[in-house]
């Protein structure tokens, strides 16, 4: 069941058309080093030393245990220690001590994992740290202000969608349960709000893309329902804006067609309000807060992989075209680097799984006109 779900997702965007936005002048994306392995459903984590850990994933050859480090100083990837368990659709979270918690995901037989590992940048080694209370894949993981990690929702064993959450405490290396979510969800977005609460929005339950949203309070260790989104959506992007609101954009709608619509969540009122549409409808894109604006890159339309990027300006509430990826890609990762640039890596393109990566440099921003390359 879980394998068929993954296969269906990969088949959905199988056309080789590429949607682009044509530059008037200049370019904001440039190639950087290539990874040793092409893959998707991987985890990318910015380390305290400024390097980026790329771990796990899957490709045509199966599920991956390998991991690599990207060094912004020389623009290259280098191998590091392997995961103890090959996994994809896991979560990866940087802890206050500089280590990375890798939790759950699917194994090579598409079974949901409850095992967890810690990566130490000092040694380059992954070590086992025990198990989740509930195995979960396509869950959310959020670093809380108290240094603990909230893991919520996702697919559990036997294909169930989970309403459970749990807290990882780095000081004890133990997992403890939270109160249940009002609505079980997988493929949801999670955003740490300015007040320390976590917004869990949308996702999917029993084939229905959800309009429900819920908030986690670390003091009470409970979830409560909050406002209803303007559209049911899963596999969206969600970004905390400088004004404290959350932009939620794109994703799959209930007809399983990618959405261009966006909305804003206001923590003060607990309400969602429709905002301006993106230039391009897209799902499984990436979103990165860059210079106070939100950079949205890649993803899938209903008919191809998207190379075009766009930026959302909270001051105007509008989107503007923002250059083209060198390689159109879906299911990629995006990591904001300490120098203000963004590393975009992995994914699927018209030639299959990608091992390429590229750098977005905000210094090269330019206005663009829209177009289509089919």
């Amino acid at each position: 069941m879980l394998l068929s779900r993954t296969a269906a997702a990969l088949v959905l965007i199988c056309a080789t058309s590429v949607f682009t936005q044509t530059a008037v002048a200049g370019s904001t994306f440039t190639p950087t080093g290539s990874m040793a392995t092409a893959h998707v459903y991987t985890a990318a984590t910015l380390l305290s030393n400024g390097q980026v850990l790329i771990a796990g994933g899957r490709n045509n050859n199966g599920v991956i245990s390998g991991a690599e480090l990207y060094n912004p100083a020389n623009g290259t990837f280098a191998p590091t220690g392997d995961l103890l368990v090959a996994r994809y659709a896991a979560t990866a979270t940087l802890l206050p001590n500089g280590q990375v918690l890798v939790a759950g995901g699917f194994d090579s037989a598409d079974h949901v994992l409850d095992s967890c590992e810690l990566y130490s940048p000092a040694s380059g080694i992954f070590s086992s740290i025990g198990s989740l209370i509930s195995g979960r894949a396509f869950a959310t993981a959020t670093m809380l202000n108290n240094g603990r990690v909230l893991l919520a929702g996702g697919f559990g064993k036997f294909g169930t969608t989970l309403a459970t959450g749990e807290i990882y405490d780095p000081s004890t290396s133990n997992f403890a349960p939270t109160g249940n979510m009002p609505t079980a969800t997988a493929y949801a977005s999670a955003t740490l709000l300015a007040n320390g609460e976590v917004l869990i929005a949308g996702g999917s339950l029993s084939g229905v893309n959800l309009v429900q949203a819920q908030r986690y309070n670390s003091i009470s260790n409970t979830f409560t329902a909050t406002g209803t989104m303007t559209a049911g959506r899963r596999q969206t992007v969600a970004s905390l804006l400088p004004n404290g609101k959350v932009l939620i954009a794109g994703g799959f709608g209930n007809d399983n067609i990618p959405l261009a619509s966006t909305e804003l969540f206001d923590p003060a009122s607990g309400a969602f309000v429709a905002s301006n549409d993106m230039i391009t409808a897209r799902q499984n894109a990436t979103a990165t807060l860059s210079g106070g604006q939100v950079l949205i890159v890649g993803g899938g339309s209903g008919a191809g992989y998207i190379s075009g990027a766009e930026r959302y300006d909270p001051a105007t509430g509008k989107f503007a075209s923002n250059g083209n990826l060198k390689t159109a890609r879906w299911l990629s990762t995006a990591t904001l680097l300490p120098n203000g640039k963004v590393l975009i890596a992995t994914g699927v393109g018209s030639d299959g799984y990608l091992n390429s990566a590229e750098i977005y440099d905000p210094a090269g921003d330019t206005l663009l006109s829209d177009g289509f390359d089919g």
Side-chain angles (χ1 to χ4, degrees):
M1 177 178 173
L2 293 172
L3 179 59
S4 63
R5 178 185 292 114
T6 302
L10 290 172
V11 168
L12 181 65
I13 307 297
C14 61
T16 57
S17 297
V18 176
F19 291 84
T20 67
Q21 289 152 349
T22 306
V24 173
S27 177
T28 58
F29 296 91
T30 56
T32 188
S34 294
M35 292 169 287
T37 305
H39 43 71
V40 296
Y41 294 133
T42 189
T45 312
L46 178 68
L47 304 178
S48 301
N49 61 9
Q51 297 189 43
V52 180
L53 173 69
I54 307 284
R58 69 173 298 159
N59 58 26
N60 285 328
N61 297 319
V63 181
I64 296 162
S65 62
E68 305 181 45
L69 290 172
Y70 176 76
N71 187 342
N74 57 23
T76 61
F77 289 87
T80 187
D82 287 352
L83 289 161
L84 300 177
V85 178
R87 64 183 77 216
Y88 72 98
T91 63
T93 311
L94 180 69
L95 302 176
N97 63 7
Q99 295 183 317
V100 178
L101 170 69
V102 178
F106 293 116
D107 67 11
S108 56
D110 283 297
H111 295 147
V112 174
L113 292 166
D114 59 12
S115 65
C116 299
E117 311 182 28
L118 276 181
Y119 174 77
S120 170
S123 65
I125 293 174
F126 289 88
S127 57
S128 176
I129 58 161
S131 300
L132 294 163
I133 297 170
S134 299
R136 59 187 75 227
F138 288 114
T140 66
T142 310
M143 170 59 66
L144 304 175
N145 289 338
N146 59 15
R148 298 174 180 177
V149 180
L150 169 69
L151 298 109
F155 293 112
K157 295 181 178 180
F158 311 112
T160 57
T161 303
L162 300 175
T164 60
E166 50 194 289
I167 296 291
Y168 174 74
D169 186 343
S171 67
T172 62
S173 215
N174 290 329
F175 293 88
T178 68
N180 282 354
M181 293 186 286
T183 305
T185 184
Y187 298 127
S189 66
T191 310
L192 180 66
L193 304 175
N195 65 1
E197 294 185 328
V198 179
L199 173 69
I200 308 286
S204 177
L205 173 62
S206 300
V208 176
N209 297 328
L210 300 171
V211 296
Q212 288 91 338
Q214 35 214 326
R215 293 164 81 156
Y216 171 78
N217 185 302
S218 61
I219 297 175
S220 64
N221 197 32
T222 59
F223 291 89
T224 56
T226 189
T228 300
M229 292 196 297
T230 63
R233 59 181 83 221
R234 76 173 193 273
Q235 290 159 295
T236 65
V237 292
S239 302
L240 181 67
L241 303 177
N243 61 11
K245 296 182 179 181
V246 179
L247 172 71
I248 296 177
F252 281 112
N254 272 327
D255 51 8
N256 284 324
I257 294 176
L259 299 171
S261 64
T262 74
E263 46 196 295
L264 291 171
F265 174 74
D266 185 348
S269 66
F272 291 86
V273 177
S275 188
N276 291 299
D277 285 358
M278 292 186 291
I279 296 166
T280 304
R282 59 182 86 208
Q283 46 79 11
N284 279 304
T286 66
T288 312
L289 190 66
S290 173
Q293 298 188 359
V294 181
L295 172 72
I296 298 179
V297 171
S301 69
Y305 307 101
I306 299 169
S307 68
E310 47 193 292
R311 283 203 309 177
Y312 174 81
D313 185 348
T316 63
K318 295 181 179 180
F319 290 86
S321 298
N322 208 90
N324 292 326
L325 290 162
K326 296 301 180 185
T327 302
R329 61 184 74 221
W330 172 61
L331 294 173
S332 60
T333 65
T335 309
L336 180 64
L337 303 175
N339 60 10
K341 299 178 182 180
V342 179
L343 171 69
I344 296 141
T346 75
V348 179
S350 57
D351 294 328
Y353 294 95
L354 301 172
N355 68 343
S356 63
E358 44 196 290
I359 292 291
Y360 165 77
D361 185 352
D365 284 345
T366 184
L367 294 177
L368 303 164
S369 60
D370 297 327
F372 172 79
D373 178 12

